[in-house]
Amino acid sequence: MLEYRSSGILLPVSALPGPYGIGMLGEQARRFVDFLAAGGQHYWQILPLVPPGGGDSPYMSPSSFAGNPLFLDLDMLAEEGLLTPQELESAQCPNPDRVDYAWIHKTRPALLRKAWERGKKQYAKEVEAFLEEEKSWLPDYVLFMALRAKFDGAELKDWPDDARTREPKALQKLREELAEDCQYYAFLQYLFFLQWTALKQYANERGILILGDLPIYVSPDSAEVWAHPELFQLDEDYMPTAVAGVPPDAFTDEGQHWGNPLYDWEYHKKTGYAWWRARGEHMARLYDTVRVDHFRGFHTYWSIPLKAKSAKEGHWEPGPGMDLVKVLESVPGLSLIAEDLGDLDDTVRDFIANSGLPGMRILVYAFDPVGESAYLPHNCTPNSIIYTGTHDTPTFVQWLFDEANPQERAYALEYLRLREDEGFGWGAVCGAWMSPSRLAIAPLQDLLGLGADARMNAPGTMGPQNWSWRVREAALNPDVSGHLRRVTRTYRRCL
């Protein structure tokens, strides 16, 4: 259950500062926790911790359960004697403002291999125990990753047929051939969950709860599709018969063609949603609260024919409904919020309301001057989470000056009493914090008043501008945390 009248900051782990090209789970993450505590916050919201997939998106991951080994803290590995000072120096990246994924993907695996070579005997018993503890997903995942490497990074659809369809004799031979590689990938997962558990404990001890993220879909190039094709709508060649997306919406007139395989909901129902229950139990261990991405897909989902040229060619199909919601709510320790944005009709709104889960209100969508938006702070209900923006929206300053029409801008300036001397981002934070919503969240970019260059993701687009923004350490200073605490205290979201 969410704490009543609290607040937090959204910052992906990847966006943390540090010298190694991407945010990690060590000292810089702890400093950010300290920054939040000094600012009177109760929540750190992050994006999915899973390995990134196509377009470096955490919503197109090769696994629903694995952790992203790029987040492994290199200094902590050096403290364990797994890396040398010279190797740490070689891992430093000259650009502190962006994740250079091409450079990271090229250089980081060799470094992690060196750590494994030095640590595989030291950690052998722990890794074997971890494989047994996580036997429901980890053995399949590590073999999937080893096979992907063997096939030079080819996508699952392009693998040799006997490996792709898990022909038993071929699979056994490959498992024996790739045993060392499987141990390497298991070693990385063991270290990831070791580091993440320690970081979460550090945060919780300082009064900071972790708000995680549950992507509704998996990648077509994933361990789940390979190991459990029965979970999805696939043909006899294990290829999707239709894929996920959304119709035209606020982000694009063409709709969004995500390309994820769709679930076989009839099969899931027959199993009592066992895979989803396991996923929920996994999330309950990782996070204190979980945002369910694309929650409206539980009611109805957009099904796009595989060969469709546009997402507009899709149609709505019924989802699992309250059956799945009840299964997830029955998982001990799993607290949920619903990402209820997008194309919603009255039946979907009723479904979300009947679920009882708090939904989201987005400030950058609130200022229609001829309407009475449900996202305006005074219209927010207590059982909601108000955001100044999300990882998919423009930053507030970007919206205000680059995307809002003149009438929207004028209304926002008047409603929020925005002042340049205070900072337009801070005005948005004050507007969200004063709302009745039980929880208020702002992306760190809005605290800092940053514009278009700091946007995290533009849905429907691909390129190095997505998922790559990072904050500089100097921005996480006492002046910012002190002002954040004053704002938070003013609107009675902290003591």
Side-chain angles (χ1 to χ4, degrees):
M1 178 64 68
L2 290 173
E3 291 193 7
Y4 184 69
R5 200 143 191 85
S6 56
S7 60
I9 301 301
L10 167 59
L11 183 72
V13 170
S14 62
L16 289 165
Y20 301 117
I22 192 170
M24 299 184 300
L25 303 178
E27 180 60 27
Q28 292 292 348
R30 285 165 171 75
R31 290 183 185 177
F32 183 66
V33 167
D34 294 340
F35 169 86
L36 293 176
Q41 303 310 292
H42 289 104
Y43 285 90
W44 175 12
Q45 181 169 349
I46 60 175
L47 296 186
L49 289 173
V50 291
D56 299 305
S57 170
Y59 296 91
M60 192 62 82
S61 177
S63 174
S64 298
F65 292 83
N68 185 355
L70 299 179
F71 294 161
L72 284 172
D73 188 79
L74 301 184
D75 289 321
M76 294 174 72
L77 298 186
E79 291 171 6
E80 296 293 321
L82 303 181
L83 294 174
T84 68
Q86 294 77 17
E87 288 162 350
L88 292 181
E89 186 174 349
S90 73
Q92 295 187 13
C93 181
N95 185 356
D97 300 317
R98 291 281 170 185
V99 179
D100 185 341
Y101 282 102
W103 181 81
I104 289 281
H105 290 313
K106 182 179 179 180
T107 60
R108 192 58 52 86
L111 202 63
L112 295 177
R113 283 275 180 179
K114 290 179 180 178
W116 176 67
E117 288 291 344
R118 295 180 183 125
K120 60 183 178 181
K121 291 184 179 179
Q122 175 184 346
Y123 289 98
K125 290 183 179 179
E126 290 89 343
V127 171
E128 282 303 316
F130 186 64
L131 273 163
E132 179 61 26
E133 291 169 5
E134 307 296 331
K135 61 184 176 183
S136 64
W137 66 273
L138 187 54
D140 284 324
Y141 168 75
V142 299
L143 182 56
F144 176 85
M145 295 301 294
L147 287 167
R148 176 193 269 184
K150 175 180 173 62
F151 301 138
D152 298 320
E155 295 184 5
L156 177 59
K157 64 182 179 62
D158 298 320
W159 287 10
D161 286 346
D162 58 354
R164 181 171 55 83
T165 62
R166 296 173 64 91
E167 194 279 318
K169 289 185 179 179
L171 205 62
Q172 180 58 34
K173 182 178 179 181
L174 288 166
R175 198 183 302 275
E176 293 170 0
E177 174 190 340
L178 299 172
E180 280 278 296
D181 284 346
C182 289
Q183 287 293 315
Y184 162 68
Y185 289 109
F187 171 79
L188 296 184
Q189 290 303 304
Y190 168 75
L191 291 181
F192 174 88
F193 285 100
L194 193 68
Q195 290 192 4
W196 173 253
T197 300
L199 175 58
K200 182 177 181 296
Q201 180 178 343
Y202 182 91
N204 290 167
E205 288 172 350
R206 284 151 185 80
I208 305 300
L209 303 175
I210 304 296
L211 203 170
D213 198 298
L214 175 65
I216 186 172
Y217 292 121
V218 304
S219 170
D221 183 33
S222 65
E224 281 80 15
V225 171
W226 177 64
H228 298 287
E230 69 278 3
L231 300 176
F232 306 96
Q233 297 179 27
L234 307 179
D235 62 20
E236 62 273 9
D237 293 321
Y238 298 89
M239 300 297 292
T241 55
V243 295
V246 289
D249 59 13
F251 293 112
T252 170
D253 293 336
E254 290 297 312
Q256 297 177 48
H257 188 292
W258 296 337
N260 309 81
L262 297 167
Y263 294 108
D264 183 343
W265 287 120
E266 286 299 318
Y267 175 84
H268 285 273
K269 186 175 183 178
K270 291 176 183 177
T271 67
Y273 301 96
W275 182 78
W276 279 93
R277 179 179 293 278
R279 200 177 183 196
E281 291 170 349
H282 189 69
M283 294 297 103
R285 291 162 50 197
L286 292 179
Y287 312 122
D288 297 297
T289 298
V290 178
R291 186 197 82 126
V292 182
D293 178 57
H294 195 58
F295 183 73
R296 69 100 65 232
F298 283 18
H299 176 268
T300 40
Y301 62 90
W302 193 246
S303 175
I304 306 170
L306 186 62
K307 296 183 179 180
K309 295 181 180 179
S310 168
K312 291 193 291 187
E313 298 178 41
H315 61 277
W316 293 113
E317 291 280 353
M322 284 300 299
D323 287 349
L324 179 53
V325 176
K326 290 176 180 177
V327 166
L328 291 176
E329 287 182 325
S330 71
V331 173
L334 186 61
S335 172
L336 301 174
I337 68 173
E339 187 270 282
D340 55 350
L341 310 177
D343 182 16
L344 310 179
D345 60 24
D346 288 342
T347 64
V348 180
R349 293 188 185 94
D350 288 343
F351 166 75
I352 294 167
N354 291 335
S355 77
L357 300 183
M360 295 171 59
R361 307 291 182 265
I362 312 301
L363 202 59
V364 294
Y365 297 147
F367 296 103
D368 176 1
V370 298
E372 184 68 10
S373 170
Y375 293 175
L376 286 168
H378 72 270
N379 282 335
C380 292
T381 61
N383 192 36
S384 68
I385 297 89
I386 187 170
Y387 288 78
T388 58
T390 75
H391 65 276
D392 278 337
T393 70
T395 70
F396 185 81
V397 168
Q398 178 190 2
W399 172 81
L400 187 66
F401 293 107
D402 298 345
E403 301 194 10
N405 64 42
Q407 293 77 25
E408 290 172 328
R409 184 180 306 113
Y411 186 28
L413 289 168
E414 181 179 12
Y415 183 98
L416 296 172
R417 294 292 190 260
L418 297 178
R419 305 196 327 261
E420 187 173 4
D421 63 324
E422 178 189 35
F424 296 113
W426 280 115
V429 171
C430 290
W433 264 232
M434 71 171 64
S435 76
S437 298
R438 66 168 57 244
L439 175 60
I441 298 282
L444 184 66
Q445 294 96 312
D446 288 346
L447 261 66
L448 303 178
L450 302 179
D453 287 347
R455 182 170 183 165
M456 183 54 64
N457 178 55
T461 70
M462 297 280 283
Q465 76 281 358
N466 287 337
W467 314 113
S468 62
W469 177 78
R470 298 181 69 201
V471 65
R472 292 199 177 195
E473 184 175 6
L476 304 176
N477 60 66
D479 288 340
V480 177
S481 63
H483 191 57
L484 178 59
R485 175 173 279 276
R486 287 191 293 275
V487 169
T488 305
R489 177 73 181 91
T490 296
Y491 298 111
R492 298 302 187 259
R493 291 187 179 272
C494 75
L495 298 177

